[in-house]
Amino acid sequence: MTQSNTSEWKKKLHEIIYEADTPAGKSFDIGLLLVIILSIVLVMLESIPGMSDRYYFEFYTAEWIITAIFTIEYILRIVVIKRPSTYIFSFYGIVDLLSTLPTYLAILGGGHNLLFAVRALRLLRIFRILKITRYIGESNRLLLALRNSRAKILVFLYAVVILCVIMGTVMYLIEGPENGYTSIPTGIYWCIVTLTTVGFGDIHPVTPLGQFIASVIMITGYGIIAVPTGIVTSEFSKATGRVHVNTQVCPHCNESQHLDKAEYCHNCGNLLNEY
Amino acid sequence: MTQSNTSEWKKKLHEIIYEADTPAGKSFDIGLLLVIILSIVLVMLESIPGMSDRYYFEFYTAEWIITAIFTIEYILRIVVIKRPSTYIFSFYGIVDLLSTLPTYLAILGGGHNLLFAVRALRLLRIFRILKITRYIGESNRLLLALRNSRAKILVFLYAVVILCVIMGTVMYLIEGPENGYTSIPTGIYWCIVTLTTVGFGDIHPVTPLGQFIASVIMITGYGIIAVPTGIVTSEFSKATGRVHVNTQVCPHCNESQHLDKAEYCHNCGNLLNEY
Amino acid sequence: MTQSNTSEWKKKLHEIIYEADTPAGKSFDIGLLLVIILSIVLVMLESIPGMSDRYYFEFYTAEWIITAIFTIEYILRIVVIKRPSTYIFSFYGIVDLLSTLPTYLAILGGGHNLLFAVRALRLLRIFRILKITRYIGESNRLLLALRNSRAKILVFLYAVVILCVIMGTVMYLIEGPENGYTSIPTGIYWCIVTLTTVGFGDIHPVTPLGQFIASVIMITGYGIIAVPTGIVTSEFSKATGRVHVNTQVCPHCNESQHLDKAEYCHNCGNLLNEY
Amino acid sequence: MTQSNTSEWKKKLHEIIYEADTPAGKSFDIGLLLVIILSIVLVMLESIPGMSDRYYFEFYTAEWIITAIFTIEYILRIVVIKRPSTYIFSFYGIVDLLSTLPTYLAILGGGHNLLFAVRALRLLRIFRILKITRYIGESNRLLLALRNSRAKILVFLYAVVILCVIMGTVMYLIEGPENGYTSIPTGIYWCIVTLTTVGFGDIHPVTPLGQFIASVIMITGYGIIAVPTGIVTSEFSKATGRVHVNTQVCPHCNESQHLDKAEYCHNCGNLLNEY
């Protein structure tokens, strides 16, 4: 009887935590979303110079309250599910663990001193933003279209990198360290900045020949931006579903979806057009 | 009799103010358009340093004349229409009110002193530019295509923001305040500047590792710009609504190109599928 | 006899100057192209500081030789053609005149002093580059696709301008003259620089609120770049030749959607145009 | 017997060097790829100031080992193939030679002095990156789509260059040398930087009129980026060739092009899979 009680209690919690159909489930999701956003805003504010020192106690308290909430959420998620390993080793399980751990590790690592490792650990909390992806439904179709065109886009980006390695070296040769192109990697960095049309302006060609080659790189970058666009667009259009079948329905087997020129049903072999 | 006279006078004015088919209606529209543009140019000129003091009286006079015209227009629009509430609470009704009010409020708020609130109020007049949207006919189809792809574009922009939050934090960690990345929000701002290929150059990576990660961000931004383009393009293509013809050839007249559902030749009227 | 001789001589010259089928016509075109390019290179070199003074005589001589060639070409084109007015008032006729006149006008205008008007006149020679358009054959299809989508692109660019006017004013209000946003036109200029993802960096937001709004503008610019692309792409695809159905309705079976050249209904086989 | 032995040994080596189906062939390819990448990283590191002097001996040794490997590879490729000329004068043959020669030439050219020619020769090694293209399989389809739209893209880029020449001259005229537009070529360089939305910010308009024209150029650049995208996208869509039929052929009527799920031939009505 107790066990049945427990399992019922578990079932109800599972519904609240993992699903969003009941009012309680929805409230839980919205509440958690607010805590995540609050937690990220806190990390951001803490990084602003002066903030961390002035509101030390407030940040400290808020961080521990949020960490407590996340810890409880994490434990509940494990307790409530039937086979905890399916959650623990899933994408969201790992993200949930990684967004709770840093606070504990920061304590162990020595609290508030400015060692790089600790600083990095504490900023790991920013990855809590990934928890939000749980609430995005429409993203799957986007990812599918991207995944289908992944191979072609990688080949394209690879060609861009090769081009940048060569042109960056050429620019290093022409402009030289005296104009800011201090090494080949710097030249490649500049070439990527230019080809992608970002153009920071921290380094820029000074010699006429350098400016001419920079012009060629820029026009190239402006022209080839069409390539990934073309790839993804044709992938999107394909995803929309362009198989050219007509709306004929076989009078014998009710099969719909026939090729334009079909005369016989491809399903039962009878004439499509006999009435 | 008088009432009929009034209603006729109202009907005529309604035709002039709300429609653009009669010569008088066209003149009214063009006149109003010129006043709007003049009013915006005035606000712009007034903001140029020195201008406001030198031509104080001219700006003051012109502003009141324009406000008077807009006030008259607003009152006429309410008087002339049968059910004023349909206009007052419509998009254009609110825009018309908001573009007339600031001048009056600026007077009440203390005239020409430089308090932020008053300055903001006076610049609100710039929103008069929205009144011009009334004259754009073709914009509806554009908005429709945008509205249809809105959900997907928002998901995309959301992914961009998540990416920027994470990469901005990483850059803050790598470059640190000594290279201009004074806080995480600054890092995120820089990351948005870079990923969108704007590249102001006010902040830019200095360390080799920072430049490498910046390169990755830039190439990512250059590659994923294809995604919104793909979405909108496939939406546009869908809107155009295309018809497919198959490759059937009529056995009687050798006519090719038949509609998918064609049974009879559209050229000679014989059955397409009889052999 | 003499007249017939003249007309034959004219006909031959017409063939050489206006056509490119004969070897002589081809040589003429290539020669002229080289002179045009040489002329533009000269104008460019002349503008480099120090060049104009050092090689004054060389520039002077070359300019007069080129002007002489263009003058002869212009006169020949008029003499050779049957109805000179068709050439003189055509696009190329006006371009040819405008690219020859400046040298003569520069003499009349006072030679080599640095008055703005004369400087402008002499640089007008750069427009000789438009003469090259004569040699581009493929450009017509591109222009056609652009012309078809012109209305939509203008509406889009108009929306961009309205957005920039509003956001530029908002930024002027937030950042103010102390951060480089000296006036509303400057703010609008900055907003265009940002929305189009150019990003010079001569002006950039400094306050946190300004950087936040700048981020929104940048992401907007990054997202809406898809709109003109979508328009032109769908226009291009249309141009490639997709089949159009008209809105005729069969008088016998009320079937709509017929091919443009259809004479018989593809559904019932009856004549489409019999009433 | 010996000859047959030799030819067998050659055949095996050919399989290893030119093919990638056997485990040995795969190992060879991966090993070579690593050497290429190592070689490029070395050239990059060597260019960083101070590196070349500090690790002179290490760079020197590594460079000679890599050159030895490439030399052996080059000789083997010639020895192993039946008709060496087909390799030597192929794209990869020339790339392989050019990536080995610089080291030898640098020795002949005087070792480590900083003459421009030698520096250029040594950096030519960066072109070894082109050897990697051998490992990219998917790139052919991309190149095909680009090649098909090459003519149109060139016309577009040509129009961009003409526009930049004219607008660059206009900006030189308006802004003048005192605002950084020192010559017409500089103005054209600036115009390309702006139209392609790169925007370094090394030169930027200062006068109101210059900023206005810059705004027009930027909006133009933002609008016409759609053109190459439209061209390539419609080319890609064409290449995809969109009816999704499989390559089954009906055993009865030899009709190809069947839907994926088809069981009966749509042409003759017989079963597709009966043999």
Side-chain angles (χ1 to χ4, degrees):
Chain A
M1 196 72 170
T2 324
Q3 207 189 332
S4 147
N5 240 355
T6 314
S7 77
E8 198 153 294
W9 167 81
K10 268 192 185 177
K11 200 178 153 194
K12 215 165 189 177
L13 256 179
H14 185 275
E15 217 174 82
I16 291 170
I17 295 175
Y18 282 95
E19 286 160 42
D21 298 326
T22 56
K26 265 186 191 162
S27 311
F28 178 85
D29 277 6
I30 290 165
L32 199 61
L33 198 63
L34 290 176
V35 175
I36 293 167
I37 290 168
L38 182 71
S39 138
I40 292 157
V41 169
L42 270 177
V43 179
M44 284 184 192
L45 287 178
E46 212 175 337
S47 76
I48 296 171
M51 279 295 215
S52 185
D53 295 330
R54 204 188 300 171
Y55 302 101
Y56 181 73
F57 180 72
E58 284 85 345
F59 280 124
Y60 192 83
T61 316
E63 186 51 37
W64 274 110
I65 293 171
I66 288 165
T67 305
I69 293 171
F70 283 152
T71 311
I72 293 166
E73 184 219 346
Y74 187 67
I75 293 167
L76 277 182
R77 276 188 192 273
I78 292 173
V79 168
V80 152
I81 212 165
K82 274 186 183 161
R83 292 170 53 202
S85 62
T86 57
Y87 165 69
I88 293 171
F89 299 108
S90 72
F91 174 70
Y92 291 126
I94 292 160
V95 165
D96 287 358
L97 183 65
L98 286 177
S99 54
T100 321
L101 268 185
T103 318
Y104 295 106
L105 287 171
I107 292 296
L108 295 171
H112 204 258
N113 54 6
L114 277 163
L115 291 164
F116 184 84
V118 175
R119 198 169 143 219
L121 273 176
R122 294 179 63 231
L123 290 181
L124 268 179
R125 281 177 251 148
I126 210 87
F127 285 99
R128 276 175 195 155
I129 205 172
L130 286 177
K131 296 186 82 167
I132 298 180
T133 52
R134 194 179 271 143
Y135 302 102
I136 309 169
E138 285 240 20
S139 58
N140 292 327
R141 240 180 311 165
L142 266 177
L143 278 175
L144 195 79
L146 265 182
R147 198 171 298 167
N148 286 343
S149 42
R150 195 180 44 185
K152 279 180 205 156
I153 284 180
L154 280 180
V155 167
F156 169 72
L157 290 185
Y158 180 79
V160 165
V161 168
I162 286 187
L163 197 68
C164 284
V165 168
I166 291 172
M167 296 315 288
T169 308
V170 168
M171 285 303 282
Y172 164 72
L173 210 68
I174 291 168
E175 293 278 332
E178 61 274 19
N179 294 329
Y181 297 76
T182 50
S183 63
I184 292 182
T186 307
I188 294 168
Y189 162 71
W190 172 85
C191 196
I192 292 174
V193 168
T194 305
L195 196 84
T196 57
T197 75
V198 172
F200 283 131
D202 51 343
I203 310 164
H204 55 80
V206 176
T207 63
L209 182 60
Q211 292 186 339
F212 176 74
I213 290 176
S215 299
V216 172
I217 294 172
M218 283 181 266
I219 287 183
T220 307
Y222 188 68
I224 64 176
I225 204 173
V227 176
T229 309
I231 296 168
V232 174
T233 303
S234 69
E235 209 62 50
F236 263 102
S237 304
K238 234 192 280 173
T240 331
R242 238 167 250 206
V243 190
H244 297 324
V245 289
N246 52 33
T247 52
Q248 277 186 300
V249 177
C250 174
H252 298 275
C253 68
N254 273 327
E255 170 71 16
S256 59
Q257 291 203 305
H258 297 279
L259 262 190
D260 290 354
K261 52 181 168 178
E263 281 168 37
Y264 295 90
C265 175
H266 62 77
N267 193 45
C268 65
N270 283 295
L271 258 177
L272 277 175
N273 302 310
E274 109 195 328
Y275 289 94
Chain B
M1 197 72 170
T2 323
Q3 211 192 326
S4 147
N5 240 356
T6 314
S7 76
E8 199 153 292
W9 167 80
K10 269 190 182 176
K11 201 179 152 193
K12 215 166 188 175
L13 257 178
H14 185 275
E15 218 174 81
I16 292 169
I17 295 175
Y18 282 97
E19 287 161 41
D21 298 327
T22 56
K26 265 184 192 162
S27 311
F28 178 84
D29 277 7
I30 291 165
L32 201 60
L33 199 62
L34 291 176
V35 175
I36 294 167
I37 290 168
L38 180 73
S39 137
I40 292 156
V41 169
L42 270 177
V43 179
M44 285 184 190
L45 287 178
E46 211 174 340
S47 76
I48 296 170
M51 280 294 214
S52 184
D53 295 330
R54 204 187 299 170
Y55 302 100
Y56 180 72
F57 181 71
E58 284 84 345
F59 279 126
Y60 191 83
T61 315
E63 185 51 38
W64 274 110
I65 292 171
I66 287 164
T67 305
I69 292 171
F70 283 153
T71 311
I72 292 166
E73 183 219 348
Y74 186 67
I75 293 168
L76 277 182
R77 275 187 193 274
I78 293 174
V79 169
V80 151
I81 211 166
K82 272 187 183 160
R83 290 170 53 202
S85 62
T86 57
Y87 165 68
I88 292 172
F89 300 109
S90 72
F91 174 70
Y92 291 127
I94 291 159
V95 164
D96 286 358
L97 183 64
L98 285 178
S99 55
T100 320
L101 268 185
T103 319
Y104 295 107
L105 288 171
I107 292 296
L108 295 173
H112 204 256
N113 53 5
L114 277 162
L115 291 164
F116 184 83
V118 175
R119 198 169 143 217
L121 274 175
R122 295 179 62 232
L123 290 180
L124 269 178
R125 282 177 250 147
I126 210 87
F127 284 98
R128 278 175 194 156
I129 205 170
L130 287 176
K131 294 185 84 167
I132 299 179
T133 52
R134 194 179 272 141
Y135 302 101
I136 310 169
E138 285 240 20
S139 58
N140 292 327
R141 241 181 310 166
L142 266 178
L143 278 175
L144 196 80
L146 265 183
R147 199 170 297 169
N148 286 344
S149 42
R150 194 180 47 185
K152 280 179 203 154
I153 284 181
L154 281 179
V155 167
F156 169 72
L157 291 185
Y158 181 80
V160 165
V161 168
I162 286 187
L163 196 68
C164 284
V165 168
I166 291 172
M167 296 315 287
T169 308
V170 168
M171 285 302 282
Y172 165 72
L173 211 68
I174 292 168
E175 292 278 332
E178 60 274 19
N179 294 328
Y181 297 76
T182 50
S183 63
I184 293 182
T186 306
I188 294 167
Y189 161 71
W190 172 84
C191 195
I192 292 174
V193 168
T194 305
L195 195 84
T196 57
T197 77
V198 172
F200 283 130
D202 52 342
I203 310 163
H204 56 80
V206 176
T207 63
L209 182 58
Q211 292 185 339
F212 176 74
I213 290 177
S215 300
V216 172
I217 295 172
M218 283 181 265
I219 287 182
T220 306
Y222 189 68
I224 64 176
I225 204 173
V227 176
T229 309
I231 297 168
V232 175
T233 303
S234 69
E235 209 62 50
F236 264 103
S237 305
K238 232 190 282 172
T240 333
R242 28 196 118 153
V243 188
H244 305 295
V245 290
N246 53 34
T247 54
Q248 275 185 301
V249 177
C250 175
H252 298 275
C253 68
N254 274 328
E255 171 69 16
S256 60
Q257 291 202 304
H258 296 279
L259 267 188
D260 289 355
K261 51 183 169 175
E263 280 168 37
Y264 295 90
C265 175
H266 62 78
N267 192 44
C268 65
N270 282 297
L271 260 176
L272 278 173
N273 304 309
E274 110 196 326
Y275 288 92
Chain C
M1 198 74 168
T2 324
Q3 208 190 330
S4 147
N5 240 356
T6 314
S7 77
E8 200 154 290
W9 168 80
K10 269 190 183 177
K11 201 179 154 193
K12 215 165 190 177
L13 256 178
H14 185 275
E15 218 174 81
I16 291 170
I17 295 175
Y18 282 96
E19 286 160 41
D21 298 326
T22 56
K26 264 185 194 162
S27 311
F28 178 85
D29 276 6
I30 291 163
L32 199 61
L33 199 62
L34 291 176
V35 175
I36 293 168
I37 291 168
L38 181 73
S39 137
I40 293 156
V41 169
L42 270 178
V43 179
M44 284 184 192
L45 288 177
E46 210 176 340
S47 76
I48 297 170
M51 279 295 214
S52 183
D53 295 329
R54 204 187 300 170
Y55 302 101
Y56 180 73
F57 181 72
E58 285 84 345
F59 279 125
Y60 191 84
T61 316
E63 186 52 37
W64 274 111
I65 292 171
I66 288 165
T67 304
I69 293 171
F70 283 152
T71 310
I72 292 165
E73 184 219 347
Y74 187 66
I75 292 168
L76 276 183
R77 275 189 193 273
I78 292 174
V79 168
V80 150
I81 211 166
K82 272 188 184 158
R83 291 170 53 201
S85 63
T86 57
Y87 165 69
I88 293 172
F89 299 109
S90 72
F91 174 70
Y92 290 127
I94 290 159
V95 165
D96 286 358
L97 183 65
L98 285 177
S99 54
T100 321
L101 266 187
T103 319
Y104 295 106
L105 287 171
I107 292 297
L108 295 172
H112 205 258
N113 55 5
L114 276 163
L115 291 164
F116 185 84
V118 174
R119 198 168 143 217
L121 274 176
R122 295 178 63 231
L123 290 180
L124 269 178
R125 281 176 251 148
I126 210 87
F127 284 99
R128 277 177 194 153
I129 205 171
L130 287 176
K131 294 185 84 168
I132 298 179
T133 52
R134 195 179 271 144
Y135 302 101
I136 310 168
E138 285 240 19
S139 58
N140 292 328
R141 236 179 317 164
L142 266 177
L143 279 175
L144 196 80
L146 265 183
R147 199 170 296 168
N148 285 343
S149 42
R150 193 180 47 184
K152 279 179 204 154
I153 285 181
L154 280 179
V155 167
F156 169 72
L157 290 185
Y158 181 79
V160 165
V161 168
I162 286 188
L163 197 68
C164 284
V165 168
I166 290 173
M167 296 315 286
T169 308
V170 169
M171 287 302 283
Y172 164 72
L173 211 68
I174 292 168
E175 293 279 330
E178 60 273 19
N179 295 329
Y181 296 77
T182 50
S183 63
I184 293 182
T186 307
I188 294 168
Y189 161 71
W190 172 85
C191 195
I192 292 174
V193 168
T194 304
L195 195 84
T196 57
T197 77
V198 173
F200 283 130
D202 51 342
I203 310 164
H204 55 78
V206 176
T207 63
L209 182 57
Q211 292 185 340
F212 176 74
I213 289 176
S215 300
V216 173
I217 294 172
M218 283 181 266
I219 288 183
T220 307
Y222 188 68
I224 63 175
I225 204 172
V227 177
T229 310
I231 296 168
V232 174
T233 304
S234 69
E235 208 63 48
F236 264 102
S237 306
K238 235 191 279 172
T240 331
R242 234 155 263 184
V243 188
H244 305 294
V245 290
N246 54 33
T247 53
Q248 275 186 301
V249 176
C250 174
H252 297 276
C253 67
N254 274 328
E255 171 71 16
S256 60
Q257 292 203 305
H258 297 281
L259 269 185
D260 280 348
K261 53 182 169 178
E263 280 169 34
Y264 294 90
C265 176
H266 60 77
N267 192 46
C268 65
N270 283 295
L271 260 176
L272 276 174
N273 300 313
E274 106 194 331
Y275 289 94
Chain D
M1 198 71 170
T2 323
Q3 207 190 330
S4 148
N5 240 355
T6 314
S7 77
E8 200 152 292
W9 167 83
K10 268 193 183 176
K11 200 179 152 192
K12 215 165 189 175
L13 256 180
H14 185 275
E15 217 174 83
I16 292 170
I17 294 175
Y18 281 96
E19 286 160 41
D21 298 326
T22 57
K26 265 186 192 161
S27 311
F28 178 85
D29 277 6
I30 290 164
L32 199 61
L33 198 62
L34 290 176
V35 175
I36 293 168
I37 290 168
L38 181 72
S39 139
I40 292 157
V41 168
L42 269 177
V43 178
M44 284 185 192
L45 287 177
E46 209 175 339
S47 76
I48 297 170
M51 278 296 213
S52 185
D53 295 329
R54 205 187 299 169
Y55 302 102
Y56 181 73
F57 181 72
E58 285 85 344
F59 279 126
Y60 191 84
T61 316
E63 186 50 39
W64 274 111
I65 293 171
I66 288 165
T67 305
I69 293 172
F70 284 153
T71 311
I72 293 165
E73 184 219 346
Y74 186 66
I75 292 167
L76 277 182
R77 276 189 193 272
I78 291 173
V79 168
V80 150
I81 212 166
K82 273 186 183 160
R83 292 170 52 202
S85 63
T86 58
Y87 165 69
I88 292 171
F89 299 108
S90 72
F91 174 71
Y92 291 126
I94 291 160
V95 165
D96 286 358
L97 182 66
L98 286 177
S99 54
T100 322
L101 267 185
T103 319
Y104 296 106
L105 286 171
I107 293 296
L108 295 172
H112 204 257
N113 54 6
L114 277 164
L115 291 164
F116 185 84
V118 175
R119 197 169 144 219
L121 273 176
R122 295 178 63 233
L123 289 180
L124 268 179
R125 280 177 252 147
I126 210 86
F127 284 98
R128 277 175 194 157
I129 205 170
L130 287 176
K131 294 185 83 167
I132 298 180
T133 52
R134 193 179 270 142
Y135 302 101
I136 310 169
E138 287 241 20
S139 58
N140 292 328
R141 237 178 316 164
L142 266 177
L143 278 176
L144 196 79
L146 265 183
R147 198 170 298 168
N148 285 343
S149 42
R150 195 180 44 185
K152 279 181 205 153
I153 285 181
L154 280 180
V155 167
F156 170 72
L157 290 184
Y158 180 79
V160 165
V161 168
I162 286 188
L163 197 68
C164 283
V165 168
I166 290 173
M167 296 315 286
T169 308
V170 169
M171 286 302 282
Y172 165 72
L173 210 69
I174 292 168
E175 293 278 331
E178 60 274 18
N179 294 328
Y181 296 77
T182 50
S183 63
I184 293 182
T186 307
I188 295 169
Y189 162 71
W190 172 84
C191 195
I192 291 174
V193 168
T194 304
L195 195 83
T196 57
T197 77
V198 172
F200 283 131
D202 52 343
I203 309 164
H204 55 79
V206 175
T207 63
L209 182 58
Q211 292 185 340
F212 176 74
I213 289 176
S215 299
V216 172
I217 294 172
M218 284 181 264
I219 288 183
T220 307
Y222 188 68
I224 63 176
I225 205 172
V227 177
T229 308
I231 296 168
V232 174
T233 303
S234 69
E235 209 62 50
F236 264 103
S237 304
K238 237 190 281 172
T240 330
R242 31 199 111 158
V243 190
H244 297 323
V245 289
N246 56 31
T247 53
Q248 275 186 300
V249 177
C250 174
H252 297 276
C253 68
N254 274 328
E255 171 70 15
S256 60
Q257 292 202 304
H258 297 280
L259 266 188
D260 282 347
K261 54 179 170 179
E263 280 170 35
Y264 294 89
C265 175
H266 62 77
N267 192 45
C268 65
N270 283 297
L271 262 175
L272 277 173
N273 301 311
E274 109 197 328
Y275 289 93

